[in-house]
Amino acid sequence: MPYNGNIKIINRGNMSYSESPIDERYRLLLLEHYLDGALEAPYKGFKKWTFVCPFCGSLSGKDYKKKEKKGSLLWDVRQHSWVFFCARKRSIECMNGKSFGNLISALNPALAEAYRRERWHSGTTGKGHNCRAPESVGCISTGSFGSMRSRSIPDSATNR
C-alpha cells in the first residue's frame, strides 16, 4: 500500500481513503481488545468491520442474540476517519453514531486521552479536525477550550 507522508493511502477502485498511522494503531487495538468477534467486510468500496456492539450486545435476552454482530466501524470520507454505528440501538450509548475518538472515550477514557495526546503531538486536534485537544500534555494544561495559555497573571508578576 502506498504511503503519502504520514498518511496511508488505500485505493479501492476509483475511491480511496487515507488513514493516519495513529488511527490505524488505535483501530487495531480496539478491534483486538475491545470489540468482540470483529470481522472485516467490504462496504460501498471501502472496508467495514462488524462486531458485537460493546454497549447493547449484552442487553439481549437470548444467547444467540448476544452474539449478533450489530456494531460497525465504517470509514467516513468527510471526516477522514472511522465512525461507529449500531444497528440494534438498544442502549443510550449506541443510539447515535460516534466518531472514532468518542468511541475510544466511551470504551476506555484513559486510552482516549492517550489517543488525543498523540493526535495533539502530530498537530491534528482542535478546530478543523475531528478530535478535540487532550486535557493535559506533559506539564501543560490545555484547559477546557484547548487553549495553551493561562488566562491568569502569575503572582510574581503582580508583586513587582
Side-chain angles (χ1 to χ4, degrees), residues 1-14:
M1 294 177 203
Y3 281 84
N4 182 3
N6 289 334
I7 298 176
K8 185 189 323 185
I9 306 294
I10 301 170
N11 294 318
R12 298 278 177 229
N14 59 356

Side-chain angles (χ1 to χ4, degrees), residues 13-145:
N14 59 356
M15 294 184 253
S16 66
Y17 67 92
S18 56
E19 180 179 28
S20 73
I22 297 169
D23 283 353
E24 181 182 20
R25 184 170 47 253
Y26 281 88
R27 175 182 48 84
L28 294 174
L29 188 96
L30 286 183
L31 290 171
E32 184 178 345
H33 297 288
Y34 293 93
L35 305 173
D36 295 335
L39 294 174
E40 182 180 346
Y43 178 75
K44 294 184 180 180
F46 298 107
K47 287 183 184 178
K48 142 180 142 168
W49 279 268
T50 58
F51 43 84
V52 177
C53 178
F55 307 111
C56 71
S58 61
L59 299 177
S60 297
K62 302 187 185 222
D63 285 338
Y64 73 92
K65 289 275 190 181
K66 290 180 181 179
K67 295 177 184 175
E68 286 183 343
K69 293 171 178 40
K70 295 293 184 176
S72 297
L73 202 55
L74 305 166
W75 181 257
D76 186 354
V77 178
R78 290 171 285 139
Q79 291 185 18
H80 302 288
S81 185
W82 298 100
V83 179
F84 166 77
F85 286 104
C86 176
R88 189 178 291 133
K89 300 181 193 250
R90 288 203 180 144
S91 169
I92 192 76
E93 289 289 327
C94 63
M95 288 284 186
N96 298 319
K98 290 185 180 297
S99 69
F100 188 62
N102 289 342
L103 174 64
I104 298 172
S105 186
L107 293 173
N108 185 338
L111 184 66
E113 187 64 21
Y115 170 74
R116 286 190 294 268
R117 192 174 299 118
E118 280 191 53
R119 292 276 308 260
W120 185 80
H121 283 294
S122 71
T124 58
T125 62
K127 187 174 181 179
H129 298 282
N130 63 349
C131 183
R132 67 178 174 89
E135 296 296 323
S136 63
V137 179
C139 62
I140 302 170
S141 175
T142 60
S144 61
F145 297 103

